[in-house]
Amino acid sequence: MATTKTKTAAKTSRYTELRQMLEDRRRELMTEVQGRIRDVRADGNKDRDVLDQGESSEVDIQEDIEFALIQMKSETLNKINEALRRLEEGTYGNCFECGDEIAHARLRALPFAVRCKDCEEARETAEKRERMAQKRSSSTLFFDMTN
Ligand SMILES: [Zn+2]
């Protein structure tokens, strides 16, 4: 059937595009993480002995920041691997709530989005309402406690 064929073709190209996007990101992140690890190592080795205490603690802070960044990037890298795994299973890129395909542009901006735009907006509105309700109830609670 012609319609089935077109649909399959569209699915395949979407799969290819998403895979390409995720792999590009993975490659970028890997290069960045590896580059940073190299920098940290190079900095750690050079001039360590000549620094006085104050300077070396500044270096330590700098290194802590670098490590935190590396850790963050590695976590993103894990998420990308997870997304690629889900893509293989055919569950990546579909809305968690309504099951519709999440728009490609949205996935490009937010590769780990689990909801389509409509569902996300609905959820945000619901959360906002909930927060308002909570705020009200907690201020009531606060009021009660001061009495
Ligand atoms: Zn949805």
Side-chain angles (χ1 to χ4, degrees), residues 22 26 30 74 76-87 112:
L22 288 169
R26 183 164 66 167
M30 273 175 153
S74 309
T76 312
L77 211 50
N78 283 339
K79 280 190 188 173
I80 290 180
N81 285 331
E82 175 72 9
L84 277 163
R85 201 178 56 77
R86 274 177 21 226
L87 186 67
F112 314 121

Side-chain angles (χ1 to χ4, degrees), residues 95 97-98 116 119:
C95 175
E97 304 273 352
C98 68
C116 70
C119 290

Side-chain angles (χ1 to χ4, degrees), residues 41-96:
R41 283 205 186 126
D43 283 351
N45 289 333
K46 93 176 170 223
D47 298 338
R48 248 277 134 95
D49 302 333
V50 267
L51 294 174
D52 67 32
Q53 200 118 41
E55 276 174 291
S56 89
S57 73
E58 254 170 55
V59 170
D60 286 345
I61 291 166
Q62 189 59 39
E63 274 182 18
D64 284 350
I65 295 169
E66 285 293 313
F67 278 122
L69 268 170
I70 289 168
Q71 200 168 19
M72 215 173 68
K73 303 265 177 200
S74 309
E75 274 162 25
T76 312
L77 211 50
N78 283 339
K79 280 190 188 173
I80 290 180
N81 285 331
E82 175 72 9
L84 277 163
R85 201 178 56 77
R86 274 177 21 226
L87 186 67
E88 292 301 326
E89 286 174 353
T91 55
Y92 175 75
N94 285 352
C95 175
F96 184 71

Side-chain angles (χ1 to χ4, degrees), residues 94-102 114-120:
N94 285 352
C95 175
F96 184 71
E97 304 273 352
C98 68
D100 271 3
E101 285 186 356
I102 301 170
V114 291
R115 287 176 188 84
C116 70
K117 198 161 171 287
D118 289 348
C119 290
E120 187 65 51

